[in-house]
């Protein structure tokens, strides 16, 4: 037993040393006390349920044996965790939580609530110090908040220190594709990715392939009907299907889909990188530097402003252009009911078969888009639609992010008592372990591990997933990223977006007025943080206001208004796009 403990310490040390990855071969060499016959029977049943896996069944058994032994001090505890309601987390809540409890004796309760409610619960615990949940699957959009407020546990420190004895030797952090999004400016890992999905372009490949529509489109616009590369082409295609095609197989069709109801989800529509798709912000991956996709400028790691007068881009020409196009397209090319819909209400609409394309579509809907019998699914189960990189606006430049990627990540708070935190950490690792992750990926289609993406089962599933596998195997995927560290207080700043955007949608204010108000209100929040010195060396420090021209004359964001915001449309054939990906090119 002593030999086993020594090797486990060596393994955990290796986890923290070279980027936190550990070879399975090392783990398989670790001797350990055998499980009881009952535990072994449970483990074997779990292994059968968690197929396929990138591990052999023997390797899965070794991981499960580690969980049994590591969980012994916490047997009988009742642990509560929470996440938003998406297919992946439903699978965790209904299946993985049950399997974990049966294996370890820890009674695990995994609640599912709306994303906004998750943030509210998290904020309540951060402000009160009262333990509301033992762990959260919290979007990495809050990474800037966690770094500055000091309430989240730095997992790098935890895995090497207090949580060393409950950190899975085969966790293999290097295998996760999203850790650059969950790492702070200090180089520490604050959150562990649990699921990922991107917002991509979605289109009816069967309609785009029709010779009669292709001929008609080219005759009108002078270029081929295909995957739009810029917003000009997207707008032309939206107009074409809405006003020229109008009807396919007896169904009224539309060239665009969106949502516009005054609701918190309207904010996600914009904070999820809509401005950067248009070209707001600076070059840089995963986020623009020094100006990010929210329009917030940082000097070093200190937020310095959101308005153009302080060097930000929240109310700059690119941002105002983005909001203007959003409103125009919603009113001109989307189904009439779209303006009264929320995010969740609009999500299923393209699957109903009357939408030609959607510029901003979350791949989290992939599982729901592939169900047999849908108007957008062929009889053999292959989709009539495809997903591709979203087109970019005229302010966009090579080297800028192209869109948003949601990275729901396990987050531990310091206010959670240590023993409860350690027990919850065991469950968090179970849900992302190589034993479970491939099966979970195939159920929810929100991949987190390189090994899962490259696996044979994913290759076999690819023809029915409309480009999801090809996208995640491509170099293009790095151009989609979550909100970054420039945003100093996500819970306070995010609600300002939908409240101001809604006024532009209803016509109460112009797009410019709405973005001016948003920039001002964000700076008021940052000014309060500056006075309170929240964030230490990374606390906000606002620039003095200057004439906008001073900033327009400098390189990068904010950029002055373009004389022509609608250059000629550009498209690409979908097969050419796939070829580029297979050859290792992003474009």
């Amino acid at each position: 037993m002593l030999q086993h403990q020594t090797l486990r310490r060596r393994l955990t040390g290796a986890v923290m040393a070279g980027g936190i990855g550990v070879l399975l071969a090392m783990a398989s060499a670790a001797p350990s006390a055998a499980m009881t016959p009952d535990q072994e029977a449970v483990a074997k049943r779990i292994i059968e349920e968690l197929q396929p896996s990138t591990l052999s069944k023997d390797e899965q058994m070794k991981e499960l044996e580690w969980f049994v032994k590591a969980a012994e001090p916490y047997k009988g505890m009742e642990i509560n965790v929470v996440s938003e309601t998406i297919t992946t987390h439903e699978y965790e809540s209904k299946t993985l939580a049950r399997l974990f409890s049966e294996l370890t004796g820890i009674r695990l309760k995994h609640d599912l609530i709306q994303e906004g409610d998750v943030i509210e619960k998290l904020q309540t615990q951060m402000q009160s110090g009262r333990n509301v949940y033992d762990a959260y699957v919290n979007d990495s959009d809050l990474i800037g908040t966690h770094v500055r407020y000091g309430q989240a546990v730095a997992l790098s420190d935890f895995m090497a220190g207090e949580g060393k004895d409950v950190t899975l030797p085969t966790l293999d952090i290097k295998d996760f594709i999203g850790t650059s999004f969950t790492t702070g400016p200090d180089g520490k890992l604050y959150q562990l990715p649990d699921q990922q999905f991107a917002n991509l372009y979605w289109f009816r490949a069967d309609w785009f392939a029709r010779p009669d529509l292709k001929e008609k489109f080219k005759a009108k616009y002078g270029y081929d009907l295909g995957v739009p590369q810029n917003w000009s082409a997207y707008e032309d295609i939206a107009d074409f299907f809405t006003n020229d095609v109008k009807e396919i197989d007896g169904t009224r069709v539309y060239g665009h889909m969106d949502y516009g109801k005054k609701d918190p989800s309207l904010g996600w529509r914009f904070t999820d990188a809509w401005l950067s798709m248009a070209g707001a912000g600076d070059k840089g991956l995963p986020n623009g530097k020094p100006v990010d996709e929210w329009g917030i400028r940082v000097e070093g790691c200190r937020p310095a402003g959101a308005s153009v007068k302080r060097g930000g881009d929240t109310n700059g020409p690119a941002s105002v252009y983005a909001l203007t196009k959003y409103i125009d397209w919603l009113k001109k090319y989307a189904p009439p009911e779209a303006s009264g819909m929320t995010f969740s209400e609009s999500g299923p609409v393209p699957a109903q078969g009357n939408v030609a394309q959607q510029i901003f579509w979350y791949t989290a809907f992939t599982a729901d888009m592939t169900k047999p019998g849908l108007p957008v699914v062929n009889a053999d189960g292959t989709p009539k639609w495809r997903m591709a990189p979203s087109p970019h606006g005229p302010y966009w430049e090579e080297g800028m992010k192209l869109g948003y990627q949601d990275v729901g990540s396990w987050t531990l708070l310091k206010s959670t008592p240590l023993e409860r935190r350690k027990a919850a950490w065991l469950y968090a690792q179970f849900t992302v372990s190589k034993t479970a992750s491939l099966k979970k990926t195939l159920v929810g289609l929100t991949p987190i591990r390189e090994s899962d993406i490259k696996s044979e089962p994913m290759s076999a599933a690819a023809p029915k997933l409309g480009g999801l596998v090809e996208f995640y195997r491509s170099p293009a995927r790095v151009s989609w990223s979550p909100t970054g560290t420039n945003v100093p207080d996500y819970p306070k700043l995010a609600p300002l977006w939908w409240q101001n955007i809604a006024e532009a949608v209803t016509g109460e204010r112009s797009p410019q007025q709405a973005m001016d108000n948003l920039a001002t209100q964000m700076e008021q929040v940052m000014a309060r943080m500056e006075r309170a010195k929240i964030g230490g060396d990374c606390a906000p420090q606002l620039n003095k206001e200057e004439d906008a021209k001073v900033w327009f004359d400098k390189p990068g964001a904010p950029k002055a208004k373009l004389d022509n915001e609608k250059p000629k449309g550009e498209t690409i054939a979908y097969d050419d796009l796939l070829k580029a990906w297979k050859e290792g090119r992003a474009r």
Side-chain angles (χ1 to χ4, degrees):
M1 191 64 177
L2 180 61
Q3 181 185 7
H4 171 59
Q5 289 173 340
T6 302
L7 182 54
R8 188 166 68 184
R9 282 195 294 272
R10 182 163 60 86
L11 282 169
T12 309
V15 166
M16 298 311 303
I20 324 179
V22 175
L23 297 175
L24 278 165
M26 287 179 66
S28 64
S32 62
M35 292 186 281
T36 67
D38 286 346
Q39 290 170 333
E40 189 170 342
V42 170
K44 286 180 177 178
R45 180 167 50 78
I46 290 174
I47 288 170
E48 291 306 316
E49 192 161 347
L50 296 181
Q51 295 300 320
S53 169
T54 56
L55 302 185
S56 69
K57 290 186 177 180
D58 285 345
E59 289 168 333
Q60 283 182 292
M61 181 62 78
K62 290 183 187 298
E63 277 203 338
L64 295 183
E65 184 176 333
W66 180 87
F67 277 107
V68 168
K69 298 305 175 186
E72 280 179 354
Y74 316 102
K75 189 178 293 186
M77 289 179 67
E78 184 170 310
I79 297 300
N80 302 301
V81 305
V82 67
S83 67
E84 66 173 306
T85 307
I86 62 172
T87 303
T88 296
H89 299 319
E90 288 174 352
Y91 176 71
E92 291 169 341
S93 177
K94 294 174 182 176
T95 300
L96 295 184
R98 170 178 55 81
L99 297 180
F100 178 80
S101 294
E102 291 173 3
L103 181 71
T104 64
I106 297 172
R107 298 196 299 275
L108 203 292
K109 187 171 182 286
H110 186 149
D111 287 346
L112 300 174
I113 58 180
Q114 293 302 308
E115 181 189 357
D117 295 329
V118 173
I119 294 174
E120 184 182 337
K121 299 289 186 185
L122 183 81
Q123 192 176 26
T124 297
Q125 182 161 340
M126 289 172 61
Q127 291 176 345
S128 69
R130 179 173 58 86
N131 190 49
V132 181
Y133 282 100
D134 300 308
Y136 295 79
V137 181
N138 166 227
D139 281 358
S140 70
D141 296 337
L142 276 83
I143 182 67
T145 310
H146 293 323
V147 168
R148 290 178 177 87
Y149 277 82
Q151 299 291 318
V153 174
L155 296 180
S156 303
D157 296 341
F158 183 72
M159 289 187 285
E162 293 176 321
K164 190 175 181 179
D165 59 334
V166 287
T167 294
L168 178 64
T170 54
L171 187 57
D172 192 5
I173 295 292
K174 283 187 175 180
D175 193 38
F176 287 79
I177 63 174
T179 52
S180 65
F181 310 139
T182 60
T183 300
D186 55 6
K188 294 181 180 180
L189 187 73
Y190 282 83
Q191 300 172 279
L192 183 68
D194 177 81
Q195 51 84 2
Q196 288 185 224
F197 57 88
N199 65 347
L200 298 179
Y201 172 73
W202 179 98
F203 71 107
R204 285 293 298 269
D206 57 335
W207 293 353
F208 279 47
R210 281 178 49 163
D212 60 329
L213 298 182
K214 291 171 72 173
E215 183 180 345
K216 190 174 180 181
F217 183 86
K218 188 161 188 177
K220 181 174 181 178
Y221 295 102
Y223 60 94
D224 292 329
L225 176 61
V227 176
Q229 299 291 279
N230 59 12
W231 282 21
S232 299
Y234 183 85
E235 186 171 70
D236 289 346
I237 296 169
D239 184 49
F240 176 69
F241 277 98
T242 304
N243 297 318
D244 293 326
V245 178
K246 292 184 182 178
E247 191 174 290
I248 294 179
D249 299 329
T251 299
R252 175 70 169 101
V253 300
Y254 297 90
H256 174 63
M257 182 59 204
D258 215 319
Y259 63 96
K261 186 176 181 178
K262 186 174 184 178
D263 176 83
S265 65
L266 185 59
W268 312 337
R269 182 66 177 76
F270 285 83
T271 58
D272 289 1
W274 179 246
L275 270 58
S276 71
M277 290 166 63
D282 275 312
K283 296 178 184 180
L285 298 173
N287 305 91
K289 292 287 183 180
V291 181
D292 72 353
E293 65 275 14
W294 282 39
I296 296 175
R297 172 177 287 272
V298 294
E299 306 291 352
C301 65
R302 288 182 177 273
S307 66
V308 171
K309 290 183 177 182
R310 298 187 198 272
D313 205 9
T314 305
N315 62 338
S319 302
V320 173
Y321 163 82
L323 177 55
T324 302
K325 283 300 172 187
Y326 158 76
I327 296 170
D328 287 349
W329 293 347
L330 179 66
K331 293 179 177 178
K332 291 179 180 179
Y333 309 125
E337 61 272 19
S339 60
M341 288 183 168
T342 64
F343 166 79
S344 57
E345 291 166 345
S346 68
V349 171
Q352 296 168 7
N354 67 336
V355 174
Q357 59 171 1
Q358 186 165 349
I359 191 172
F360 185 107
W361 177 83
Y362 287 104
T363 62
F365 291 122
T366 304
D368 295 328
M369 281 281 199
T370 56
K371 293 176 180 175
L374 286 174
V376 295
V377 176
N378 292 311
D380 64 357
T382 56
K384 297 178 182 179
W385 53 269
R386 296 292 185 272
M387 63 181 78
S390 297
H392 53 75
Y395 292 89
W396 188 87
E397 298 177 76
E398 199 72 48
M400 295 177 67
K401 67 182 285 183
L402 254 175
Y404 176 80
Q405 189 162 183
D406 185 287
V407 184
S409 306
W410 284 106
T411 307
L412 304 177
L413 295 183
K414 295 176 181 177
S415 51
T416 299
L418 180 59
E419 295 305 294
R420 300 189 66 82
R421 196 191 313 156
K422 292 169 81 171
W425 177 237
L426 286 171
Y427 172 66
Q429 294 173 100
F430 181 75
T431 66
V432 301
S433 66
K434 290 184 179 179
T435 288
S437 65
L438 178 54
K439 176 64 179 289
K440 186 178 81 169
T441 295
L442 289 168
V443 170
L445 302 177
T446 55
I448 54 170
R449 286 186 176 273
E450 189 81 34
S451 56
D452 292 338
I453 293 166
K454 291 182 176 178
S455 69
E456 279 302 314
M458 288 300 288
S459 295
K464 294 187 176 181
L465 300 181
L468 179 73
V469 175
E470 290 84 352
F471 171 76
Y472 271 105
R473 286 178 173 175
S474 82
R477 75 179 187 212
V478 301
S479 295
W480 278 256
S481 63
T483 300
T485 56
N486 287 25
V487 179
D489 191 327
Y490 186 95
K492 286 190 175 69
L493 293 173
L496 302 176
W497 285 76
W498 69 268
Q499 293 162 10
N500 285 287
I501 298 299
E503 292 186 345
V505 175
T506 60
E508 296 172 60
R509 298 187 188 278
S510 70
Q512 182 70 65
Q513 289 170 333
M515 300 309 279
D516 286 344
N517 289 345
L518 173 61
T520 297
Q521 291 169 20
M522 288 207 297
E523 288 179 347
Q524 288 169 349
V525 172
M526 289 188 275
R528 289 195 292 271
M529 293 181 68
E530 181 177 359
R531 289 193 295 272
K533 295 182 172 57
I534 294 172
D537 292 340
C538 291
Q541 188 171 28
L542 295 179
N543 288 332
K544 292 180 179 179
E545 290 190 348
E546 296 185 84
D547 188 275
K549 190 176 183 305
V550 172
W551 291 100
F552 288 149
D553 288 344
K554 294 180 180 181
K559 302 164 192 168
K561 183 176 173 62
L562 293 171
D563 292 333
N564 178 20
E565 292 184 327
K566 193 180 180 186
K568 183 176 173 58
E570 297 176 9
T571 59
I572 185 174
Y574 189 67
D575 288 345
D576 291 344
L577 181 68
L578 293 183
K579 184 173 183 288
W581 285 353
K582 288 175 182 175
E583 292 174 354
R585 292 181 285 119
R587 296 164 63 89

